[in-house]
Amino acid sequence: MSPTILRGMTWEHERGYGSVVKAAEAYRSVAPEVEVQWEYRSLQAFADQDLQSLVESYDLLVIDHPHIPVAAEEKLFAPLNGRGFDAELATLATQSVGRSHESYQHLGQQWGLALDAAAQVSAYRPDLLESAPSTWDEVIALAEEGRVLWPFKPVDAFSSLVTIASGLGEDAMTTPGVFLSEDMLTRAMELLTRLARLVPAENAGFNPIQVADVLAESDTFAYAPLLFGYTNYSRAGYRSHRLQYIDIPRSTRGVAGSLLGGAGIAVSSRSQAMDAAITHAFWLASGDVQAGAYYDGGGQPGNAVAWESERTNADSLNFFTGTRATLEGAYLRPRFATYIELQNAVSPLVTSALLGQISLSELRERLDAGVAEWLVR
């Protein structure tokens, strides 16, 4: 009998692709009648993916959690409640890293499972720094020495603004028509503008992967205060030097407020092998698999079992225990079907303001206008 073929789409990186491929190989010994075939898109295409077309072609999709509201409201994914895995769902809820599990819920149902957990954290070279900064004053002092990098291309600048404001005590986009209060936007942008002026100019076009590559390969720079973590760089042999990831610098709320990222596994509502796809999704998100084959393939697990594993932490310079507090206090973006449109529209404005191309008052007006336009029920 021919095996059931499940087609999956993920993103182009060891963390996104190698992880699920390694797990798919292990799955053949669990379910030899099922073959999981994975393809990938670029990181940018992953963020901007057209879900409507993808659900027609793939059974399994690795997705960003901000896509969940639109996918749920347009019935693009299969709801995972009531499919014979409710006990597993309850277990996964207890094994969530921060609000990762919750981020795949909408309209009272679960539309995805936390496959990968991430938030903005900090990274440094332990061979170059005896200890990393733990406060923003210490970050600025090190930046004045020319030893700090910070990715602030539009989406990362936007994420950093949300992180800083939340850490200072105000969550963004919680009041209709208001991105942040005038006072909080001013305070957060003052700090980020100061930082932007102290890091290399090309950082305005860098993403976290590019910053991690420079940190790992050059001895000039030693630290980055805000970037999405990649456990690959904390493992031996991945680059010339290993990076140690730690909690973000303390602010008013300690290390709380970092913008929650990560990725989840969802099942297409058009799948012709839905039961097999749902079964594989739950297997892939389970603690043992996440701490085993998924991590070994280069993944950054979304299950707390893997985050608490002595083996994964020993292998990654304590990546998971070192950033766990930040993940537990992370900020969850608004649950609107049009949120992605807002983020895409206003993110370039933050980088422009940091570069002095638009004024702070113009930034505030346009951020508020974006919230008023896009975040409506």
Side-chain angles (χ1 to χ4, degrees), residues 4 14 29 31 70 110 127 130 174 189 204 219 225 228 231 241 253 262 283 307 322 350 365:
T4 298
E14 292 90 337
S29 65
V70 66
Q110 192 81 29
D127 60 317
E130 185 174 338
T174 57
M189 285 298 294
D219 290 345
F228 286 98
T231 180
H241 301 278
R253 297 174 60 205
W283 178 85
W307 282 65
V350 183
E365 290 173 4

Side-chain angles (χ1 to χ4, degrees), residues 332-360:
L332 180 61
R333 283 168 275 186
R335 315 299 288 164
F336 288 79
T338 51
Y339 172 80
I340 294 295
E341 283 85 349
L342 166 69
Q343 183 172 287
N344 289 342
V346 304
S347 289
L349 303 174
V350 183
T351 298
S352 292
L354 290 169
L355 294 173
Q357 296 167 347
I358 63 173
S359 67
L360 183 60

Side-chain angles (χ1 to χ4, degrees), residues 52-191:
Q52 184 69 53
S53 63
L54 292 179
V55 297
E56 301 292 344
S57 303
Y58 298 94
D59 303 286
L60 296 161
L61 296 98
V62 177
I63 46 91
D64 278 336
H65 65 78
H67 289 100
I68 288 295
V70 66
E73 293 173 23
E74 295 183 6
K75 298 180 171 57
L76 301 179
F77 297 159
L80 301 177
N81 311 72
R83 301 304 298 254
F85 292 90
D86 285 355
E88 287 84 351
L89 265 181
T91 296
L92 290 174
T94 68
Q95 295 171 340
S96 179
V97 179
R99 301 177 72 180
S100 293
H101 184 76
E102 175 191 346
S103 71
Y104 300 98
Q105 298 171 354
H106 193 63
L107 301 177
Q109 291 186 295
Q110 192 81 29
W111 302 93
L113 305 174
L115 194 63
D116 174 300
Q120 287 193 305
V121 291
S122 299
Y124 75 103
R125 282 273 298 277
D127 60 317
L128 297 180
L129 287 180
E130 185 174 338
S131 62
S134 61
T135 68
W136 281 103
D137 285 344
E138 292 173 354
V139 172
I140 295 300
L142 190 63
E144 288 172 341
E145 297 176 15
R147 306 188 71 193
V148 172
L149 298 173
W150 169 49
F152 67 104
K153 68 180 299 183
V155 68
D156 295 291
F158 174 90
S159 300
S160 294
L161 175 57
V162 171
T163 293
I164 293 296
S166 185
L168 288 170
E170 183 180 328
D171 287 344
M173 299 170 281
T174 57
T175 301
V178 177
F179 186 83
L180 284 168
S181 68
E182 182 176 2
D183 175 67
M184 184 56 70
L185 180 65
T186 300
R187 292 171 62 194
M189 285 298 294
E190 282 178 350
L191 173 58

Side-chain angles (χ1 to χ4, degrees), residues 126-375:
D127 60 317
L128 297 180
L129 287 180
E130 185 174 338
S131 62
S134 61
T135 68
W136 281 103
D137 285 344
E138 292 173 354
V139 172
I140 295 300
L142 190 63
E144 288 172 341
E145 297 176 15
R147 306 188 71 193
V148 172
L149 298 173
W150 169 49
F152 67 104
K153 68 180 299 183
V155 68
D156 295 291
F158 174 90
S159 300
S160 294
L161 175 57
V162 171
T163 293
I164 293 296
S166 185
L168 288 170
E170 183 180 328
D171 287 344
M173 299 170 281
T174 57
T175 301
V178 177
F179 186 83
L180 284 168
S181 68
E182 182 176 2
D183 175 67
M184 184 56 70
L185 180 65
T186 300
R187 292 171 62 194
M189 285 298 294
E190 282 178 350
L191 173 58
L192 292 177
T193 300
R194 191 176 178 192
L195 180 62
R197 290 170 178 166
L198 292 171
V199 299
E202 60 265 28
N203 281 193
F206 274 22
N207 64 26
I209 292 175
Q210 292 168 298
V211 163
D213 278 331
V214 174
L215 272 181
E217 298 295 340
S218 168
D219 290 345
T220 301
F221 305 101
Y223 175 76
L226 290 177
L227 75 175
F228 286 98
Y230 279 78
T231 180
N232 312 85
Y233 291 89
S234 66
R235 307 188 200 190
Y238 186 70
R239 291 291 187 267
S240 298
H241 301 278
R242 299 170 76 179
L243 303 185
Q244 186 152 6
Y245 287 86
I246 56 174
D247 290 319
I248 59 174
R250 294 191 307 274
S251 190
T252 305
R253 297 174 60 205
V255 298
S258 177
L259 185 137
L260 182 68
I265 182 77
V267 175
S268 167
S269 62
R270 298 0 177 217
S271 174
Q272 299 300 303
M274 190 173 294
D275 288 344
I278 290 174
T279 299
H280 184 69
F282 275 95
W283 178 85
L284 193 55
S286 66
D288 288 347
V289 175
Q290 288 261 292
Y294 184 84
Y295 173 82
D296 292 342
Q300 186 166 300
N303 191 302
V305 170
W307 282 65
E308 295 162 5
S309 162
E310 291 184 6
R311 185 182 79 93
T312 60
N313 278 288
D315 187 60
S316 64
L317 295 178
N318 292 316
F319 176 95
F320 302 101
T321 56
T323 60
R324 181 72 179 271
T326 296
L327 269 290
E328 290 296 333
Y331 163 92
L332 180 61
R333 283 168 275 186
R335 315 299 288 164
F336 288 79
T338 51
Y339 172 80
I340 294 295
E341 283 85 349
L342 166 69
Q343 183 172 287
N344 289 342
V346 304
S347 289
L349 303 174
V350 183
T351 298
S352 292
L354 290 169
L355 294 173
Q357 296 167 347
I358 63 173
S359 67
L360 183 60
S361 61
E362 181 180 351
L363 175 65
R364 181 170 62 84
E365 290 173 4
R366 296 177 68 179
L367 288 175
D368 287 352
V371 171
E373 177 180 0
W374 294 110
L375 299 193

